[in-house]
Amino acid sequence: MTHTDIAKALVGTFVSGDVAVAEASALPSYKQHNLNFGDGRDAFVAAVKGLQEAPVKTTLQTVRSFEDGEYVVLHSIVNFAGSGDQVALDVFRFEDDKIAEHWDNVANVVAPNPSGHTQTDGATEVTDLDKTDANKALVADFVRDVLRGENPDKLPEYIAGEDYIQHNVDIADGLTGLTTAFAAMAEQGVAMVYDKVFKVLGQGNFVLVLGDGEFGGKPVAFYDLFRVADGKIAEHWDIIEEIPAETPGQNKTAKLNQNPTGAPICAAPFVYCSCMDLDYIRIYMIFEQ
């Protein structure tokens, strides 16, 4: 089995209730960054058992997936025990073919955006494997220049013009849709603060960026998934999840941080480096017309 197969098997136990698969897929020391669940494989198994006792069964559909070294990314629609459809971006880290660590962002499924796109539809096939490093570098540069606001005027250089497909629930397609949304944010005084970039994960045409900061004055985790085609960002999905001041469940693990030194991850794959000390840089993105 590939690492992707193992990750899908693990989340599939929420539906199947197969405790043996859950125990075979994860390490006993499994580290959990979802703040509602505890660390350890036993805590995951307990969640699987609890879902099987619910009167409404859990459903799950993984829409797209890819791998980057020891990491697997899944983009799914899940409904836990009839609580309502949610979209999730899950990241799993492997050690010796076992899942050692997990991060996720989750949001409720809502109506299609102004261009009629849902939070999960669009391209799913992983292509352009020979362009993985170039695509990751492109997206890392986009995050630095545009999302972190260092060179926002470079936005048109990164986006595939009016062919750009947008899955953000509030924004329309095309460069025009994006700039219109930024202008509306500026008019409303809504600031986005992109503090840290924790991970840049990619395979072929898909790249996922994990970061944190603030949106509308609230601390959030940013998960931005991009599809790159012909050297331009052609499609975008995202989940922005608020980080509570206090952990609502039993898990005190930080939602995003993994590196014990606390240093951010830069564009080079999984290299902890000091080239951007993002702990001390806060770029406020307020776009003006």
Side-chain angles (χ1 to χ4, degrees):
M1 296 177 70
T2 67
H3 285 176
T4 297
D5 292 334
I6 296 170
K8 288 181 177 180
L10 182 71
V11 298
T13 62
F14 286 138
V15 178
S16 69
D18 194 330
V19 171
V21 170
E23 292 176 337
S25 301
L27 291 174
S29 58
Y30 174 78
K31 189 172 183 179
Q32 175 66 264
H33 293 269
N34 182 305
L35 301 180
N36 294 296
F37 296 93
D39 284 338
R41 184 176 64 194
D42 289 347
F44 186 92
V45 169
V48 170
K49 292 179 178 178
L51 287 172
Q52 298 311 301
E53 297 172 358
V56 179
K57 295 304 181 183
T58 293
T59 60
L60 174 73
Q61 176 191 7
T62 296
V63 179
R64 56 184 56 80
S65 60
F66 63 87
E67 298 188 18
D68 188 339
E70 61 186 342
Y71 293 91
V72 169
V73 175
L74 302 182
H75 194 194
S76 306
I77 302 169
V78 61
N79 187 324
F80 286 107
S83 59
D85 286 344
Q86 294 180 304
V87 56
L89 275 164
D90 292 277
V91 177
F92 299 91
R93 183 178 64 84
F94 280 74
E95 292 179 7
D96 299 325
D97 296 329
K98 300 281 187 178
I99 297 173
E101 199 162 5
H102 168 253
W103 300 259
D104 67 353
N105 255 18
V106 180
N108 291 333
V109 171
V110 298
N113 71 8
S115 292
H117 303 301
T118 72
Q119 292 150 282
T120 56
D121 64 2
T124 60
E125 182 182 2
V126 177
T127 63
D128 299 330
L129 294 179
D130 59 323
K131 298 178 181 177
T132 294
D133 290 342
N135 290 341
K136 289 172 66 175
L138 173 75
V139 168
D141 289 346
F142 169 78
V143 171
R144 181 196 65 234
D145 287 338
V146 178
L147 297 186
R148 291 188 58 242
E150 295 189 12
N151 293 287
D153 291 343
K154 296 180 69 174
L155 172 63
E157 299 178 20
Y158 291 106
I159 300 298
E162 296 309 308
D163 292 329
Y164 172 71
I165 301 170
Q166 177 65 261
H167 296 270
N168 179 285
V169 299
D170 296 315
I171 303 176
D173 284 348
L175 180 60
T176 300
L178 199 55
T179 55
T180 299
F182 288 158
M185 289 171 59
E187 183 177 349
Q188 298 167 20
V190 176
M192 185 168 77
V193 185
Y194 219 107
D195 277 341
K196 289 183 182 179
V197 174
F198 285 87
K199 289 178 175 60
V200 178
L201 306 174
Q203 184 181 28
N205 55 333
F206 286 104
V207 180
L208 175 68
V209 178
L210 278 62
D212 75 355
E214 295 179 9
F215 187 77
K218 297 179 179 180
V220 298
F222 296 106
Y223 280 44
D224 288 281
L225 177 61
F226 303 90
R227 180 175 63 85
V228 180
D230 300 322
K232 298 284 187 178
I233 295 173
E235 195 163 8
H236 169 250
W237 302 259
D238 67 342
I239 300 176
I240 302 175
E241 184 176 339
E242 184 176 350
I243 301 174
E246 295 184 3
T247 302
Q250 53 188 319
N251 190 354
K252 302 300 181 183
T253 302
K255 182 169 176 60
L256 283 165
N257 193 37
Q258 172 207 26
N259 177 29
T261 70
I265 295 180
C266 302
F270 316 121
V271 175
Y272 299 112
C273 56
S274 58
C275 58
M276 296 185 295
D277 193 354
L278 302 183
D279 280 316
Y280 301 99
I281 299 175
R282 294 167 67 86
I283 304 297
Y284 287 81
M285 287 176 57
I286 301 181
F287 289 83
E288 298 179 355
Q289 289 179 311

